[in-house]
Amino acid sequence: MKVFQEIKSCLSACIAFGFALTAFSSCSDSGSETAGATSETTNGIAVIAFDGAHTPIPQALVTLYRHPDEGPHVSVLETATADDSGMVQFETQPDQCQNAECYIEGIAGEDSSLMVWTKLDAVDSTTNEIELLPSVSLMVRTGAAASDSTVLGRSLMLDATPYSTKNDGGDFIFSHIPSGLYTVIAEGEPVATVSLEAGSSVDTLIRISNLTREFIFEDFDDGDKLNNLAKDYPNYGWYYMPHKSASFESPDSTGGFTGALINDNASGKYLSLRFSIKESGYVMLGTHLGLDSGYYDLSSLSAIRIKVRGNCDFAAALEHYREIENNNYNKALWFAKASDEWTELVLRPGKETLDKKNYQVAWDDISSEIGIFSIFIYNGSRLDIDEIVFEGIAPDSFSKKSE
């Protein structure tokens, strides 16, 4: 009996020892597999997302793209969400980016308020840092006529990116894209380059063959008092008037309108207005497009561009040819503001300010019978004006004038 108990004890010990060996062996095998997986992941491409203050961005959505040797399109390799330290570890191996360009996109914040699009610099296990900055709103105009159906269905894209947009009433709107330098592609061909600063809202014209129509209504380079339409259709040119307590310093009674034209050797002449406005006074600048009783069909207008510099608030208006009362005309009117730097403002039909008691009406109500272009200045002391351009209007479309 004692011998039997000793054999039983020995057998139990051996079984226990064998189990321990088995357990140890299992842990070792498992540990080997885990280490191998970690090694594979570590050898992938690592990215860490920061904001402009170099603070990590948890939950940033980070996507790795591959761009082939040819064509404007990119394809997704992998998408992942950053951890609490802003880190993303892609499983994609570096050799997948050795023979092609790879890019990283980062998106964070409500409504994609922070974004980045950048070329992948390191394709080994080195961590790539990306800085997400305020996204950009980009509106691209073609200068096509408002009624031009040939632009419908067309699309634009930014070369070597996932960003594209379709026509929206003659405009192409990229609501949220990262800052950077991009080539714009239309119908598979590059048409322009745009540089976008973080947090900006950009409205730009891209000229496309057979679509873009624009008429330079005035650039002041000829040095006279006539708008450019007078070259083909007679008119009386520019006039300027102060109202109530306001007064003009430039133009003055000596030099007149042409005396207020300043020569800038870099870009030709511009109009320099100087004035004094007190209380409820204002000054105005205007010109008839034709003779006093003439009007033009400008219903195809898609935008007005005007370059300005100054320190005032003003309104630009296209007015109906028929006087209502006391030298007042129904008008489509757009409010604007001048700053110390030259800025090109874009005024759009459909965005005018409506106020019937002040004869401010919808563009569509008067667009086929336009007789006057005017600028009303309400405060400040100076306004410089350069090119005034009608987009969507071809020069020969003015042949539809009436008297």
Side-chain angles (χ1 to χ4, degrees), residues 109-390:
E110 186 177 352
D111 202 20
S112 303
S113 59
L114 296 176
M115 298 184 73
V116 68
W117 176 262
T118 185
K119 189 174 180 180
L120 180 67
D121 291 326
V123 294
D124 54 21
S125 59
T126 303
T127 300
N128 295 267
E129 293 187 0
I130 58 173
E131 184 181 44
L132 279 65
L133 298 174
S135 58
V136 179
S137 169
L138 171 64
M139 177 176 287
V140 175
R141 309 186 316 279
T142 62
S147 57
D148 193 341
S149 62
T150 62
V151 300
L152 296 177
R154 293 193 176 216
S155 62
L156 291 183
M157 70 171 297
L158 305 183
D159 187 33
T161 77
Y163 310 119
S164 63
T165 185
K166 292 188 178 297
N167 175 276
D168 182 9
D171 299 325
F172 297 86
I173 302 171
F174 296 85
S175 298
H176 300 281
I177 53 177
S179 57
L181 181 66
Y182 299 99
T183 299
V184 181
I185 303 293
E187 302 295 316
E189 298 294 329
V191 293
T193 299
V194 292
S195 180
L196 308 176
E197 295 184 4
S200 61
S201 180
V202 178
D203 187 336
T204 188
L205 172 72
I206 291 180
R207 293 173 176 85
I208 298 178
S209 177
N210 300 322
L211 285 181
T212 302
R213 295 177 173 84
E214 53 184 338
F215 176 72
I216 301 176
F217 179 65
E218 182 63 278
D219 55 10
F220 306 106
D221 288 342
D222 53 17
D224 62 25
K225 64 172 291 186
L226 300 176
N227 61 58
N228 288 339
L229 196 56
K231 294 178 174 65
D232 297 306
Y233 306 108
N235 61 57
Y236 301 113
W238 291 95
Y239 53 86
Y240 49 97
M241 295 184 294
H243 290 264
K244 297 184 178 179
S245 59
S247 61
F248 268 105
E249 298 169 9
S250 172
D252 60 22
S253 58
T254 302
F257 184 84
T258 58
L261 299 178
I262 306 299
N263 187 34
D264 183 338
N265 293 328
S267 58
K269 292 184 173 66
Y270 64 88
L271 177 64
S272 177
L273 302 178
R274 298 295 182 267
F275 39 83
S276 175
I277 297 176
K278 300 176 182 179
E279 298 175 358
S280 60
Y282 67 94
V283 296
M284 73 164 296
L285 173 76
T287 179
H288 285 261
L289 274 62
L291 299 177
D292 288 351
S293 60
Y295 61 86
Y296 296 80
D297 183 355
L298 300 188
S299 56
S300 62
L301 181 78
S302 55
I304 303 170
R305 295 200 316 267
I306 178 170
K307 292 181 180 177
V308 297
R309 178 179 64 182
N311 64 354
C312 63
D313 295 307
F314 68 95
L318 284 169
E319 304 190 58
H320 194 258
Y321 78 98
R322 187 183 298 116
E323 182 180 7
I324 303 298
E325 58 180 357
N326 301 324
N327 203 32
N328 286 307
Y329 301 79
N330 282 333
K331 58 182 68 63
L333 183 141
W334 297 266
F335 282 103
K337 186 178 183 65
S339 62
D340 290 337
E341 301 295 329
W342 278 110
T343 304
E344 185 175 66
L345 303 177
V346 180
L347 313 175
R348 295 174 172 276
K351 302 295 184 181
E352 59 274 8
T353 301
L354 304 182
D355 184 358
K356 285 192 175 182
K357 70 178 182 295
N358 288 313
Y359 311 99
Q360 296 165 210
V361 300
W363 169 247
D364 288 344
D365 292 347
I366 61 172
S367 62
S368 61
E369 297 180 340
I370 298 299
I372 305 169
F373 177 83
S374 301
I375 291 178
F376 303 90
I377 305 170
Y378 301 102
N379 55 36
S381 60
R382 55 188 172 84
L383 179 65
D384 297 330
I385 305 172
D386 203 342
E387 286 188 353
I388 303 170
V389 181
F390 296 160

Side-chain angles (χ1 to χ4, degrees), residues 50-85:
F50 293 99
D51 62 16
H54 207 68
T55 301
I57 306 178
Q59 304 304 308
L61 184 66
V62 183
T63 303
L64 181 63
Y65 288 85
R66 185 177 185 271
H67 181 224
D69 293 336
E70 297 181 356
H73 298 280
V74 293
S75 58
V76 175
L77 288 175
E78 193 173 348
T79 297
T81 301
D83 63 19
D84 290 343
S85 64

